[in-house]
Amino acid sequence: MDWSRYVLPQITGLQPYKPGITEEKLRRETGLTDIWKFSSNEAPVGPSPRIVDAMQAALGQANRYPDIYALLEALSQRLDVPHSCLALGNGSIDLIAALVRLFVGAQHNVVLTSHGYCAYPALIKEQQAAIRVAGHGESFGHHVDKLLSQVDADTRMVLIDSPTNLSGAALTSDEIRRLLEALPTHVIAVLDEAYIEYADLAAMKAHSRLPFTYPNVVITRTFSKAYGLAGLRVGYAVADAGLIDWLARIRPPFPVGSVALAAALAALNDQPHIDQILQLTVTGRRSLVDGLRMSGIDVIEGHGNFVLADFGARATYVYEGLLSHGLITRAAHAYGLPSHIRISVGSPGEIARLLETVRALLGTQVARDLEKVV
């Protein structure tokens, strides 16, 4: 059946989001048994026993609809914001998509940075809105003046990920405030802070207060990264209470399940586990950067749980070579950077294995190049 005859016209040109290769997919297709995943910016360790216990307890109430109050109360206290200024979602991208549906129409445009999160454009095209692209700043990050230069009377939203999903480059708190001060009140700034815990813990609480000074800003965050709950899909937004009220009117009932809510609450209150993830990430990121640079690779060390490495003409060879050894990384083709590979931080042993394999692959490539010359 040709379903293209029935879908809305603005949908026909969209392509589905392609997540990184999963361990299960690679195992099925290659028969490899030892597989290490460095492609999706996940935490290097699984949930703590405390979090697992909370999930198991919630399973016993799976016949009941979820109650979001406990998690909202904990977030309210942690961030020093009222309940009325918080919303929960099935990951932060769920909330961002809802914000675009709520505010952006065909008569509007949305300003993005050229190397912002690659999932954003489809959300805007679905609304038949125009996309205005600002040039990137240092390390493929955002540049305040370039963003502002794209804002006009028809702009309804500026959508930025800081730290970015590509390189981990982050705007400073001063830069964010300068952007918000300059934006017209008819423009909503959505600040996607999925990696904020890795960037600046002081800024985390300060940014959650921004909507009280700038009612046209929305902060979105997730439990998928530093809290290690990517498989459960829990995100939240902080915004003006009036905006949150309108957002609630278009959201589906119970957007987050009971098990995910219990895990997020336990993770929020398990500071030793979060500290472990953050420490492993900072140390591992340093090891990745140093190891790759020792092999002659240009590396951007951002503020996320990953690094962006430029392998030049050898990128495809290295990516496929790592894959053949069971090491899944993320090629940056979706960002128009075919020479770059994004590598998530794993455990110390996983990082050592990846660096050893990279060195071996590069050594083999050099030997082959020399043979061609001879």
Side-chain angles (χ1 to χ4, degrees):
M1 185 170 180
D2 182 10
W3 289 106
S4 65
R5 297 165 53 195
Y6 303 100
V7 299
L8 295 174
Q10 65 265 30
I11 306 297
T12 57
L14 299 183
Q15 297 297 320
Y17 176 79
K18 294 182 179 180
I21 298 172
T22 64
E23 298 171 57
E24 292 77 11
K25 177 179 173 61
L26 187 62
R27 189 172 289 113
R28 287 195 305 269
E29 294 182 349
T30 65
L32 292 170
T33 55
D34 294 329
I35 295 175
W36 298 267
K37 191 179 179 190
F38 297 86
S39 59
S40 297
N41 300 346
E42 298 150 336
V45 295
S48 69
R50 178 175 179 176
I51 298 170
V52 172
D53 288 345
M55 289 191 286
Q56 289 177 335
L59 285 172
Q61 293 293 313
N63 60 312
R64 304 298 184 191
Y65 285 111
D67 181 356
I68 63 175
Y69 179 80
L71 182 56
L72 286 178
E73 172 66 17
L75 284 170
S76 174
Q77 293 183 9
R78 179 68 59 90
L79 302 174
D80 189 25
V81 300
H83 295 174
S84 59
C85 294
L86 291 165
L88 300 178
N90 186 32
S92 55
I93 193 65
D94 170 46
L95 290 158
I96 293 169
L99 288 164
V100 174
R101 292 198 309 273
L102 180 62
F103 290 110
V104 179
Q107 71 273 30
H108 299 128
N109 68 63
V110 176
V111 176
L112 307 176
T113 295
S114 59
H115 291 86
Y117 184 29
C118 62
Y120 296 152
L123 306 178
I124 301 159
K125 292 176 182 178
E126 184 180 353
Q127 299 301 106
Q128 298 182 285
I131 296 174
R132 294 175 64 89
V133 180
H136 65 78
E138 185 178 355
S139 301
F140 303 111
H142 303 284
H143 190 286
V144 171
D145 292 329
K146 292 179 180 179
L147 287 166
L148 290 171
S149 72
Q150 294 299 317
V151 174
D152 63 16
D154 295 324
T155 302
R156 178 45 55 86
M157 185 176 288
V158 174
L159 180 48
I160 53 178
D161 52 337
S162 181
T164 70
N165 179 266
L166 172 65
S167 69
L171 292 172
T172 66
S173 293
D174 287 343
E175 288 173 322
I176 289 170
R177 289 183 181 276
R178 185 162 72 84
L179 172 66
L180 298 178
E181 289 282 356
L183 280 180
T185 56
H186 71 271
V187 179
I188 297 160
V190 178
L191 183 59
D192 179 355
E193 293 191 330
Y195 301 96
I196 187 64
E197 291 87 358
Y198 301 111
D200 188 340
L201 293 177
M204 183 177 177
K205 190 167 186 178
H207 291 181
S208 68
R209 302 285 302 174
L210 286 174
F212 301 107
T213 305
Y214 310 97
N216 58 330
V217 66
V218 182
I219 311 296
T220 65
R221 294 176 181 159
T222 184
F223 283 87
S224 295
K225 307 302 181 182
Y227 290 96
L229 301 179
L232 293 177
R233 314 303 300 127
V234 187
Y236 65 94
V238 186
D240 177 77
L243 187 154
I244 293 293
D245 179 66
W246 278 103
L247 188 63
R249 303 181 194 199
I250 67 164
R251 304 300 313 290
F254 312 111
V256 183
S258 299
V259 175
L261 288 168
L265 179 60
L268 195 64
N269 292 320
D270 193 349
Q271 194 60 47
H273 183 63
I274 303 307
D275 290 342
Q276 178 195 19
I277 291 176
L278 294 177
Q279 184 58 52
L280 280 172
T281 300
V282 171
T283 304
R285 190 173 64 201
R286 184 78 258 152
S287 297
L288 268 177
V289 170
D290 291 344
L292 290 169
R293 286 178 177 167
M294 287 177 63
S295 295
I297 305 303
D298 290 331
V299 186
I300 295 174
E301 180 182 12
H303 299 275
N305 58 344
F306 56 90
V307 301
L308 182 66
D310 186 356
F311 287 87
R314 300 168 292 181
T316 299
Y317 168 75
V318 171
Y319 173 79
E320 293 178 350
L322 289 171
L323 204 58
S324 70
H325 286 80
L327 299 160
I328 307 171
T329 56
R330 191 65 175 266
H333 294 286
Y335 291 97
L337 299 173
S339 69
H340 288 70
I341 298 175
R342 195 187 66 190
I343 305 171
S344 304
V345 174
S347 68
E350 291 169 342
I351 293 170
R353 181 179 292 270
L354 181 134
L355 291 173
E356 179 183 1
T357 307
V358 167
R359 286 192 291 268
L361 289 168
L362 293 177
T364 300
Q365 182 67 56
V366 170
R368 287 177 179 174
D369 290 344
L370 289 174
E371 288 176 2
K372 291 178 183 178
V373 173
V374 175

